Amino acid sequence: MPRTIVAADVIVTSPGRNFVTLKVTTSDGLVGWGDATLNGRELAVASYLRDHLCALLVGRDADRIEDTWQYLYRGAYWRRGPVTMAAIGAVDLALWDINGKALGVPVHQLLGGPVRDGVMIYTHATGWDVPELLEAVDAKREQGFLAVRAQFGVPGLDTVYGVSRSGAAYEPAGRGVGPKVEVWETSAYLRHAPVALQAVRDHVGPDLHLLHDAHHRLTPTEAIRLGKSLEGVDLFWLEDVLPAENQQLLRQVRAQTHVPLAIGEVFNSVYDSLDLVSERLIDYLRVAVGHVGGISHYRKILAHAEVYQVKAGPHGPSDVSPVSLAGSLHVGLATHNFAVQEFMGYPAETYEVFRPGWSIRDGYMHPGDAPGLGVEVDEKAAAAFAYEPAYLPVARNRDGSVKDW
Ligand code: CS2
Ligand code: MG
C-alpha cells in the first residue's frame, strides 16, 4: 500500500522571530515537518507553498522523495531562486522526516549512517570594543565551543550589523515594517579588523578555531587587503568577502591571499557553486539545506564539493529553523566532507514551538536517534505567536548610497 500524502499545511509563527513551517500528513497518520523560512521575505515562500505546491502534494506517494523533488523542480518551468528552492526544500525535508518515521530510523541512517561521532559547531561572539569581545569569546569557550565567530564594532561607526553596543543578543531581522538603516565605512573596518582579530588570537592562544564574517561588503582589492592583513591570525575561515554573484572576481582574491575562504549562505542550487567549487576558489561552502531544495539536492551539492576537497560549513543563524538545522545535522553526521555547522542558537520562545531532539557536548552537536529529523512542532504553541513583519537592516555608505549586503 503506498503511503499517500493527504494534507500539506503551512504554519507561520513568530516565537522570538518569524518561521514558516510545512506540515505534511500521510494516509497512515505520519506527520513530516519542513522549514520554509526565508528571512525578511517569509510570506513569499508561504504563498508559494499554499497557493501553488500544497495542492500538488495531496495524493502523491510520500515515499517517492526524489521523484517529488524532480517534479517540483523540473516540472515548474521557473527554476531556482531563493523562494522556489526554499519551498521545495520544505517539502523535501518533510518527506525525509516521514520516511525516517515510517522506517523507524533517524534520517542520518537513511543517508548511509554516521561517519563521525558528532558535528563540530561554531557560535557567535560579539563585542563592541576589544575588551567586550574578549569577554564574549571567553564566555563561549567556557560553554565548551571549539570554534567561535568574532564580530566587533568599528571605531567611527555608530552601528555594525550583528554587534550590539550593550552586549545583548542580536536577531538578524529587526521587527517592524521596513529595514533599519546603518551607515557603513569600509576603510574604517579594514583598519580595525586585523587589530580586533589579532587581539582575540593573542588572548585565546592557538587552539580555538576563529572565524570572521565580512558580509559580502568588499571589492576584490579590499578583500585581498583584508585577507593578507589576517594571515597571521590563523583564521579557520574568512566569510563572504565579496557579493556572492561576483564569482569570477574571487579568482583575484584567491591568487593573492591564503586565508581560507567561505561563501554561499545565499546560494540556492548547485549551479551557484559549480565554478567556485570546481576551480577551488573557496574552502568552505555555506549553503543551508532548507535553502537549496532540501536534503535531496543538498547531498548532491556536497558530493560535487567532495571531489574538489571543498567542505561544508553551513549557515545556521536563528533564521534557519530548528527543522532545517536538524536536517543539516543529519547530513553532517553522514557526510565525509562536512567541516562545521554554524549554531547561533534561538530565542527561548522558539523552543516553546520547536522541540528538537539534538544534543550538544564538548563543542559537538548530535541530531539524536529519534526516527526522522527528530524535531516535533507544537502547533498550539505556534498559534500563540502571530507573524510580525521583520527585516534585515540595509547599510548605506557615508554618501548615502546603498551598500552591498
Ligand atoms: C550571517 C547571518 O550567520 C551568518 O553568517 O551572515 O546573520 C545572515 O546575515 C542572516 O542570517 C541573513 O538572514
Ligand atoms: Mg554570514
Side-chain angles (χ1 to χ4, degrees), residues 45-196:
V45 192
S47 160
Y48 194 106
L49 285 164
R50 275 184 183 137
D51 299 333
H52 300 287
L53 296 199
C54 287
L56 305 185
L57 295 176
V58 174
R60 290 187 67 81
D61 181 345
D63 292 342
R64 294 182 64 170
I65 305 175
E66 179 67 18
D67 183 60
T68 297
W69 195 93
Q70 301 296 341
Y71 174 67
L72 298 180
Y73 180 81
R74 293 185 200 282
Y77 191 77
W78 306 107
R79 295 184 184 185
R80 305 194 274 159
V83 175
T84 299
M85 297 307 279
I88 297 176
V91 175
D92 190 77
L93 282 162
L95 295 187
W96 281 92
D97 192 22
I98 287 171
N99 208 250
K101 287 170 176 165
L103 297 172
V105 295
V107 166
H108 61 78
Q109 191 54 53
L110 300 176
L111 301 172
V115 296
R116 52 176 54 84
D117 302 330
V119 174
M120 187 169 76
I121 48 177
Y122 77 87
T123 195
H124 301 180
T126 61
W128 185 261
D129 55 27
V130 170
E132 260 174 40
L133 176 62
L134 300 183
E135 228 176 86
V137 172
D138 281 343
K140 300 301 175 184
R141 286 163 84 201
E142 277 155 30
Q143 289 166 29
F145 287 99
L146 306 173
V148 171
R149 187 192 82 166
Q151 305 294 121
F152 36 81
V154 174
L157 299 186
D158 290 337
T159 49
V160 169
Y161 171 66
V163 185
S164 74
R165 279 181 179 273
S166 60
Y170 82 99
E171 259 306 308
R175 292 188 183 225
V177 178
K180 274 204 335 251
V181 175
E182 295 178 345
V183 175
W184 176 255
E185 193 175 301
T186 299
S187 54
Y189 165 73
L190 289 177
R191 281 194 301 275
H192 187 62
V195 176

Side-chain angles (χ1 to χ4, degrees), residues 39 149 161 170 172 213 215 239 265 286 315 317 319 342 392:
N39 203 14
R149 187 192 82 166
Y161 171 66
Y170 82 99
D213 193 344
H215 292 300
E239 179 181 335
E265 65 183 47
R286 299 267 300 137
H315 199 206
D319 47 286
E342 181 179 15
L392 282 153

